[in-house]
Amino acid sequence: VQLQASGGGLVQAGGSLRLSCAASGRTFSFSSAAFSWFRQAPGKERELVARISRGHSREYADSVEGRFTISRDNAKNTVYLQMNSLKPEDTAIYYCKCTTHWGQAIWGQGTQVTVSS
């Protein structure tokens, strides 16, 4: 299984970005997997931002609740993170993580999000 994250960039505070995470793999069942977005700011530990289960239930970190939305499109094998009302403290490298139905955790490469004040 491979994950390809994209959509990061530089945005002003109050702006929006949408991150995408495309999954691929010959024996991979996208619809059976759970996905998460994590982020890691310089000098800080990696933290969970949002998670979506195979049944589309969602959970969010308190710091992004109400501003970020995680979603999935099983037909496109892609998970999204819509980020609105961005703040400078959202600046980080964002990582997509897949947890397969057999319990394997797979990480994608990060995508940089920079929010200027």
Side-chain angles (χ1 to χ4, degrees):
V1 179
Q2 292 185 326
L3 302 177
Q4 181 68 43
S6 61
L10 173 63
V11 64
Q12 289 188 332
S16 299
L17 284 173
R18 188 177 79 157
L19 305 183
S20 299
C21 176
S24 62
R26 293 184 63 183
T27 59
F28 174 60
S29 174
F30 182 91
S31 62
S32 298
F35 289 87
S36 306
W37 285 98
F38 285 74
R39 67 186 180 187
Q40 187 166 19
K44 295 187 177 181
E45 293 186 354
R46 191 172 296 189
E47 63 174 356
L48 176 67
V49 175
R51 178 186 291 130
I52 186 166
S53 72
R54 62 181 183 180
H56 294 247
S57 62
R58 301 168 173 84
E59 59 181 282
Y60 300 93
D62 290 344
S63 59
V64 307
E65 182 80 55
R67 300 188 297 122
F68 290 11
T69 302
I70 189 170
S71 62
R72 63 191 296 162
D73 186 335
N74 290 345
K76 295 182 178 180
N77 283 10
T78 302
V79 176
Y80 303 98
L81 185 68
Q82 178 66 43
M83 306 186 294
N84 298 329
S85 302
L86 282 161
K87 305 175 181 180
E89 51 264 44
D90 295 318
T91 295
I93 300 175
Y94 284 70
Y95 298 90
C96 177
K97 176 188 174 185
C98 169
T99 304
T100 67
H101 67 276
W102 63 88
Q104 182 180 5
I106 300 158
W107 291 88
Q109 94 291 358
T111 185
Q112 176 71 48
V113 172
T114 303
V115 184
S116 63
S117 57

